[in-house]
Amino acid sequence: MKTKAVRLYGKNDLRMEEFELPAIKEDEILAKVVCDSICMSSYKATHEADIHKRVPRDVAQNPVIIGHEFAGELVDTGRYWQDKFKAGDKFSIQPALNYEQGPLGVLSAPGYSYKYVGGDATYVILPREVMEQDCLLHYAGKGFYPSSLAEPLSCVIGAMHANYHTVQGSYIHQPEIKNGGNMAILAGVGPMGLAAINYAIHRTDRKPRLIIVTDIDQARLDRAESLYSPAEAAKNGIELKYVNTGKTDNPVAELNALSAGKGYDDVFVFAPVAPIIEQADAILAIDGCLNFFAGPAKTDFKAAFNFYNVHYARTHIVGTSGGNTDDMREALDMMNRGLDPAGLITHIGGLNAVIDTTMNLPSIPGGKKLIYTHIELPLTPISEFGVKGQTEPLFAELHRLCEAHNGLWNIEAESYLLK
């Protein structure tokens, strides 16, 4: 059957193409992609192409389909997998296959490395290694966009699981954020920061006592507070505060004062900016863990770190790049139980919007850009639905449905769009 897809041929060379998919083999699965959330990692892969760690070196001769935060439903299942998967099943994918070096000579991943699978397509073929490594995951919840956003949510889940603390007088490292501790999420009101706030205030197995979220953009802070309010956090026993560090001459002093002088046990940095890393270092408590979440584009990126505190106060640093399959399962389970990631989404569009959106992603304000691959639609901010609805009935109804959900994207709006 034919598919329409956006494929990468080289640096800044994305092309929308329609081509024939081969018949699936006994160890493959044919799937329909419904939606894909565009990630900054796709922007990086597009700009780096054959020097990217997940993009094959021969991409010019064998282009790959981009997009790795995708969801949809299975169409046809090869004989090897028919006892586990069937046509009509809704799915999500863990794209970070467990490879040191994949079969394509790189860290193979759907959305970076494969000719016939990626999120920015109408139909795809899932290769056997996706199923062999248990990276094709069932989704039983409502709609499709929550499943698409399971991958970004899994990244912040993995980050919090990766933090660790020590036991005084021993060499034991205890994984996870500190239960009942102080947490700071710096530069934390972008899409991934919002995912971290959503997860931290709603998980039930472990939680901080205090969460401070910072940024220098008051409008983004206000939106974050409207989505994930201090009152909502208080229901789970958490004190949540939003702080504009651009409005103070001494952010470190202010943040330390908010912790009653104790500092922060877990500090997450959501922007690859050296002064923010140094700010994070300066507010670490004894045995504090700094998680550098944001991936820098420069291979020689550096920031100062206080090694006196490393020696005498046991401060330490970790970094994570994506979540694992268990993190994906945890994300999907939370969504099956009602966690809604819609606060991350600020734009929707069709497959025709993918190239411009991916190429210019850092300069497009807002949060996640959600693509519905079987639809032709310009990338449109949800905040503009009302104005567009004055002349276009589609947007008038989408505006009505979003207004009924606090201005957020929602299952009803998705269903209407898909119809």
Side-chain angles (χ1 to χ4, degrees):
M1 67 183 306
K2 284 189 176 181
T3 188
K4 185 179 287 187
V6 175
R7 294 201 287 183
L8 176 66
Y9 279 81
K11 293 180 182 178
N12 304 320
D13 186 0
L14 292 175
R15 306 178 196 178
M16 171 85 80
E17 299 176 317
E18 188 171 33
F19 53 93
E20 194 77 23
L21 289 174
I24 62 168
K25 301 173 184 175
E26 291 183 331
D27 57 359
E28 296 176 334
I29 292 178
L30 177 67
K32 175 185 178 181
V33 178
V34 174
C35 57
D36 176 63
S37 173
I38 296 182
C39 177
M40 187 62 75
S41 295
S42 292
Y43 166 83
K44 293 175 185 176
T46 298
H47 286 261
E48 294 177 7
D50 58 354
I51 66 170
H52 191 278
K53 64 182 180 179
R54 295 191 184 278
V55 177
R57 302 300 170 251
D58 65 347
V59 67
Q61 293 76 40
N62 293 290
V64 297
I65 301 176
I66 65 165
H68 59 276
E69 298 177 359
F70 61 102
E73 54 191 8
L74 305 183
V75 177
D76 191 15
T77 304
R79 180 176 63 85
Y80 286 11
W81 309 111
Q82 288 176 357
D83 60 337
K84 189 172 182 179
F85 302 103
K86 65 181 185 299
D89 286 351
K90 292 201 293 186
F91 74 89
S92 184
I93 285 223
Q94 163 57 275
L97 305 183
N98 302 314
Y99 282 132
E100 288 297 325
Q101 182 167 306
L104 302 174
V106 291
L107 299 178
S108 301
Y112 298 92
S113 319
Y114 288 93
K115 188 175 182 179
Y116 295 128
V117 62
D120 293 318
T122 52
Y123 293 91
V124 297
I125 294 176
L126 307 179
R128 62 173 177 77
E129 51 264 29
V130 171
M131 286 71 76
E132 284 180 346
Q133 299 196 47
D134 209 16
C135 290
L136 177 61
L137 306 174
H138 289 285
Y139 171 61
K142 295 180 180 179
F144 291 94
Y145 74 82
S147 181
S148 179
L149 292 174
E151 196 280 335
L153 180 58
S154 79
C155 294
V156 300
I157 290 174
M160 294 201 185
H161 292 337
N163 270 30
Y164 72 92
H165 297 280
T166 63
V167 176
Q168 179 77 27
S170 78
Y171 303 109
I172 297 172
H173 287 188
Q174 297 178 321
E176 265 286 4
I177 63 169
K178 185 173 181 179
N179 198 29
N182 295 338
M183 176 185 291
I185 301 176
L186 307 187
V189 291
M192 299 307 292
L194 293 178
I197 300 165
N198 194 8
Y199 175 68
I201 68 173
H202 287 113
R203 66 184 297 195
T204 56
D205 61 317
R206 180 176 290 264
K207 57 190 175 184
R209 179 196 67 81
L210 171 70
I211 301 176
I212 302 294
V213 181
T214 75
D215 205 85
I216 58 173
D217 186 323
Q218 191 60 49
R220 285 171 27 126
L221 282 162
D222 291 343
R223 180 176 184 270
E225 187 167 358
S226 72
L227 296 174
Y228 309 114
S229 68
E232 178 69 19
K235 294 176 184 177
N236 201 24
I238 297 170
E239 182 181 5
L240 173 63
K241 295 182 178 180
Y242 292 89
V243 176
N244 188 331
T245 51
K247 292 184 176 181
T248 177
D249 293 332
N250 193 336
V252 168
E254 180 175 352
L255 294 175
N256 279 328
L258 290 172
S259 73
K262 296 180 179 179
Y264 295 83
D265 305 289
D266 298 281
V267 181
F268 294 85
V269 175
F270 278 85
V273 178
I276 297 178
I277 296 171
E278 292 163 10
Q279 185 183 106
D281 177 31
I283 64 173
L284 286 171
I286 293 174
D287 191 38
C289 184
L290 189 161
N291 189 304
F292 180 54
F293 184 92
K298 295 182 177 180
T299 57
D300 61 349
F301 179 79
K302 296 179 177 69
F305 201 74
N306 188 326
F307 281 89
Y308 182 91
N309 288 340
V310 170
H311 188 82
Y312 289 105
R314 310 194 314 279
T315 59
H316 46 277
I317 187 167
V318 300
T320 50
S321 178
N324 62 27
T325 304
D326 286 339
D327 299 326
M328 281 281 291
R329 288 196 181 94
E330 184 177 349
L332 290 167
D333 179 63
M334 292 185 77
M335 291 175 188
N336 287 337
R337 290 186 283 112
L339 183 76
D340 191 344
L344 278 67
I345 303 166
T346 56
H347 297 64
I348 64 163
L351 192 62
N352 57 300
V354 167
I355 293 177
D356 285 346
T357 301
T358 304
M359 294 285 289
N360 300 293
L361 194 57
S363 62
I364 304 175
K368 280 290 186 182
K369 284 71 183 176
L370 186 66
I371 299 297
Y372 287 92
T373 64
H374 291 259
I375 290 171
E376 188 165 317
L377 191 74
L379 187 72
T380 307
I382 296 172
S383 61
E384 294 181 9
F385 285 179
V387 173
K388 289 184 175 295
Q390 295 173 12
T391 56
E392 300 178 57
L394 169 68
F395 287 110
E397 181 61 11
L398 290 177
H399 175 66
R400 185 188 72 80
L401 292 168
C402 290
E403 284 299 292
H405 290 81
N406 194 31
L408 299 179
W409 193 240
N410 55 85
I411 299 298
E412 290 82 358
E414 178 182 76
S415 298
Y416 176 77
L417 180 67
L418 292 176
K419 289 177 182 177

